[in-house]
Amino acid sequence: MAEVLVYVDHVDGAVRKPTLELLTLARRIGEPVALALGAGAEATAAVLAEHGAVKVLTADAPEFSDYLVVPKVDALQAAYDAVSAAGSLVAVLVPSSAEGKEIAARLAVRIGSGIITDAIDIEAGDKGPVATQAAFAASFTTKSVVSKGTPVITVKPNSAPVEAAPAAGTVEALAVTFGALATGTKITSRTPRESTGRPELTEAAIVVSGGRGVNGAENFHIIEALADSLGAAVGASRAAVDAGWYPHSNQVGQTGKSVSPQLYIASGISGAIQHRAGMQTSKTIVAINKDAEAPIFDLVDYGVVGDLFAVVPQLTDEIKARKG
Amino acid sequence: MSLRIVVCVKYVPDATGDRQFTEDLTVNRDDVDGLLSELDEYAVEQALQIADEADDAEITVLTVGPEDAKDALRKALSMGADKAIHVEDDDLHGSDVMGTSLVLAKAIEKAGYDLVITGMASTDGTMGVLPAILAERLGVPQVTLLSEVKVEGGVVTGRRDGDSASEQLEASLPALVSVTDQSGEARYPSFKGIMAAKKKPVESWDLEELEIEADEVGLEGSWTAVDSATQRPARTAGTIVKDEGEGGKSLAGFLAEQKFI
């Protein structure tokens, strides 16, 4: 049976949802072998096995947290070598986070393989795995294959359902030798981001975003209240971020994050092409805007032309009432 | 000792234009105006600031692309870069990120460098992997996705704002840096800058000069292949209501119908 190497994104042993989605896609093209690195790597095995990993490779070393990216590439390459030697490896799948893409890219150069990033679907094909991507602000859908080497593909969050599919999940320690470049970029300090208690933007099933129409940082609580009533993440347009009303980490769009939730609610956002680039693949799109001519209304499943300061609080109250 | 900075820039189709694919599934560059990728302006800006702080520095802007790509170089020169290198060759048409990165790496090595600076991603391909690939190819530390960057005494330091944490990074030169759009507003070229740019040297190199074989790049040398590109069907017109006091409630009704509540 052909193996698919899956790079695991986890926080101290808690596997993040995009990795579980990767396992769903991996099972379509082969048997998933997972690689988990760093503190808590072994603790990931149970959940990975429950979602289809036949084997879990683990490694921990201070290099993974003390130096940027390259030690993880060395480990992924060691896993690639081990799995290729033991069987037939059909693909390497990595979550499309900023770091995930960098890790995947460096591995691809090293093993002489083509790389496809930000896939939104993967299926088996005659010439190997076929990846679907959204191009040009999601106005096009492309299907691509890797024509050289073992395909390295990074996959966007929310691209596949999380499915239980219990497998062996045997844990095996992976031996990793770090190269000279591994210690090239030192991480001299790390300040964890304060948790808001809301879901992570790129992973959230529902995203509620505010833009220029929110008209000030002091008004963003209206957007946050709506988000909280739905258990959603909060996003912001570039205009709102540039004005200093909301942190850059929450920016949705071409220069911020690309999101693909089940439901996207845009409030006071006109829908410039750069914003659309980051949210156009959302399944259901809803907008609230005073300007009936705003381009965002071309995308919506449901739009309300009106003042967000009246519509959003009313919507929040109604949701709370309906949820009881 | 002079600090040699190479800034990699890309000439991209304007995102506000109607971007299309051509028959060979490469980007159609004929019908949409091109420009210096906005995200690369931040790279040029940081190069200028680093050069200002250094005793003696020289900034070279480098691009790989067709004839028109010179416009991107001119923009960077008018912002204040010292000279430019344009790698142009018919065999480059359709290169993927592996081909392009190979050309950039060879050109950077030929030009000579202490520091390479790039934007975080291009605004057309938007992969965001080129900086990491370049660092791998050049065999130098990657100090990427910085929202703040500083170079002092042969050491580059910077802040990388990730999803879960903000990290301070440090590496010795030579190194590769990529900067985000949070690194600081890019300056507008002054009239004086635009005039001065016309006199600055722009070198043109081809594949032969970089000792790259034609089959290592271009569509043929691509390590990936696009099988199909289809325009997404226009979204079917949604329901649009005007708020006359019940807009929020009607929207809640829609969300309930769709099982979000």
Side-chain angles (χ1 to χ4, degrees):
Chain A
M1 181 69 185
E3 286 88 19
V4 181
L5 183 56
V6 174
Y7 183 88
V8 175
D9 189 2
H10 71 97
V11 181
D12 295 327
V15 179
R16 293 177 65 174
K17 188 165 145 266
T19 299
L20 301 178
E21 295 167 9
L22 279 195
L23 289 170
T24 300
L25 292 173
R27 290 200 313 274
R28 291 189 197 161
I29 51 176
E31 289 192 326
V33 174
L35 170 68
L37 303 175
E42 281 174 32
T44 62
V47 68
L48 294 171
E50 198 183 309
H51 293 86
V54 295
K55 192 191 284 182
V56 180
L57 302 172
T58 63
D60 190 15
E63 279 84 351
F64 295 130
S65 52
D66 293 352
Y67 297 92
L68 192 72
V69 174
V70 187
K72 293 171 181 164
V73 183
D74 288 349
L76 185 56
Q77 189 179 8
Y80 167 84
D81 290 341
V83 179
S84 316
S88 58
L89 182 58
V90 289
V92 180
L93 305 186
V94 182
S96 265
S97 61
E99 187 189 51
K101 288 204 273 190
E102 292 185 329
I103 293 169
R106 296 189 72 131
L107 176 80
V109 186
R110 288 188 187 182
I111 65 175
S113 287
I115 179 170
I116 292 173
T117 56
D118 295 320
I120 53 173
D121 199 11
I122 298 176
E123 62 207 322
D126 301 341
K127 294 177 279 182
V130 179
T132 305
Q133 292 165 289
F136 296 156
S139 58
F140 277 82
T141 302
T142 61
K143 285 186 188 285
S144 302
V145 293
V146 167
S147 44
K148 186 164 181 274
T150 303
V152 177
I153 303 172
T154 78
V155 181
K156 271 175 68 164
N158 290 326
S159 295
V162 172
E163 291 166 0
T170 340
V171 184
E172 229 174 75
L174 177 75
V176 181
T177 315
F178 295 111
L181 277 176
T183 53
T185 308
K186 193 168 172 48
I187 300 170
T188 52
S189 73
R190 184 179 282 121
T191 316
R193 198 173 289 288
E194 250 176 72
S195 170
T196 58
R198 297 190 182 94
E200 215 281 311
L201 186 56
T202 56
E203 297 170 18
I206 302 178
V207 173
V208 177
S209 285
R212 199 186 300 275
V214 176
N215 204 21
E218 68 280 10
N219 299 328
F220 249 87
H221 68 91
I222 298 175
I223 304 295
E224 291 177 333
L226 173 57
D228 292 342
S229 74
L230 290 161
V234 176
S237 73
R238 181 163 181 181
V241 170
D242 282 354
W245 302 342
Y246 223 67
H248 178 251
S249 51
N250 295 69
Q251 185 179 318
V252 172
Q254 189 161 42
T255 60
K257 292 199 172 113
S258 165
V259 299
S260 201
Q262 294 298 319
L263 171 64
Y264 187 83
I265 304 180
S267 308
I269 291 177
S270 66
I273 184 82
Q274 289 82 357
H275 187 75
R276 290 158 66 161
M279 48 65 77
Q280 203 159 340
T281 54
S282 303
K283 311 295 177 293
T284 299
I285 298 174
V286 165
I288 300 147
N289 201 303
K290 270 198 296 204
D291 176 10
E293 302 297 314
I296 191 87
F297 285 124
D298 296 342
L299 300 180
V300 298
D301 297 286
Y302 199 95
V304 178
V305 179
D307 185 351
L308 74 91
F309 293 101
V311 177
V312 173
Q314 187 183 64
L315 172 61
T316 308
D317 288 345
E318 187 67 18
I319 290 167
K320 284 188 192 155
R322 283 176 188 250
K323 283 190 166 174
Chain B
M1 203 181 73
S2 172
L3 178 70
R4 296 165 302 166
I5 306 173
V6 177
V7 185
C8 300
V9 300
K10 189 173 181 186
Y11 181 74
V12 297
D14 188 343
T16 58
D18 182 20
R19 294 173 295 175
Q20 301 281 338
F21 286 92
T22 57
E23 265 176 37
D24 68 0
L25 300 177
T26 59
V27 177
N28 182 349
R29 293 177 177 273
D30 294 339
D31 299 340
V32 179
D33 288 340
L35 72 173
L36 169 61
S37 172
E38 186 205 326
L39 291 170
D40 295 342
E41 290 185 14
Y42 298 98
V44 176
E45 177 62 37
Q46 289 310 308
L48 293 167
Q49 292 190 18
I50 289 166
D52 277 348
E53 294 290 315
D55 293 340
D56 178 21
E58 183 182 58
I59 302 171
T60 304
V61 280
L62 164 67
T63 198
V64 176
E67 172 67 23
D68 295 349
K70 279 203 175 68
D71 289 358
L73 296 176
R74 286 282 165 220
K75 172 85 184 274
L77 290 172
S78 62
M79 287 172 73
D82 299 300
K83 57 178 190 157
I85 297 168
H86 181 203
V87 183
E88 187 188 6
D89 200 304
D90 288 346
D91 289 327
L92 283 167
H93 173 76
S95 295
D96 69 353
V97 70
M98 289 303 177
T100 306
S101 64
L102 174 71
V103 177
L104 285 171
K106 294 261 193 179
I108 290 164
E109 275 164 350
K110 185 174 158 77
Y113 69 101
D114 301 298
L115 181 64
V116 179
I117 308 183
T118 73
M120 59 189 275
S122 69
T123 55
D124 57 347
T126 66
M127 291 177 81
V129 296
L130 183 105
I133 292 176
L134 263 187
E136 178 72 32
R137 286 196 185 279
L138 294 169
V140 298
Q142 75 165 73
V143 199
T144 47
L145 296 171
L146 301 185
S147 43
E148 258 175 30
V149 56
K150 199 171 179 183
V151 174
E152 215 172 356
V155 174
V156 51
T157 53
R159 194 182 82 233
R160 172 172 164 124
D161 293 323
D163 285 343
S164 56
S166 202
E167 295 165 333
Q168 284 292 334
L169 306 180
E170 183 184 293
S172 298
L173 299 183
L176 178 135
V177 160
S178 79
V179 298
T180 72
D181 60 333
Q182 299 300 297
S183 58
E185 195 107 342
R187 69 193 67 185
Y188 286 105
S190 63
F191 178 70
K192 206 174 129 200
I194 293 168
M195 295 314 286
K198 294 184 174 168
K199 293 189 190 120
K200 289 177 179 172
V202 179
E203 282 193 56
S204 281
W205 294 349
D206 60 12
L207 289 178
E208 201 180 333
E209 260 156 307
L210 296 175
E211 294 173 8
I212 295 171
E213 298 296 329
D215 62 3
E216 292 179 85
V217 295
L219 260 188
E220 291 296 307
S222 223
W223 294 5
T224 48
V226 181
D227 268 359
S228 68
T230 41
Q231 194 143 17
R232 270 171 96 92
R235 290 182 90 99
T236 43
T239 310
I240 304 215
V241 300
K242 193 169 180 333
D243 177 38
E244 276 160 349
E246 299 284 301
K249 284 187 185 162
S250 69
L251 183 45
F254 170 78
L255 296 180
E257 244 170 62
Q258 301 291 315
K259 311 255 186 282
F260 289 114
I261 306 177

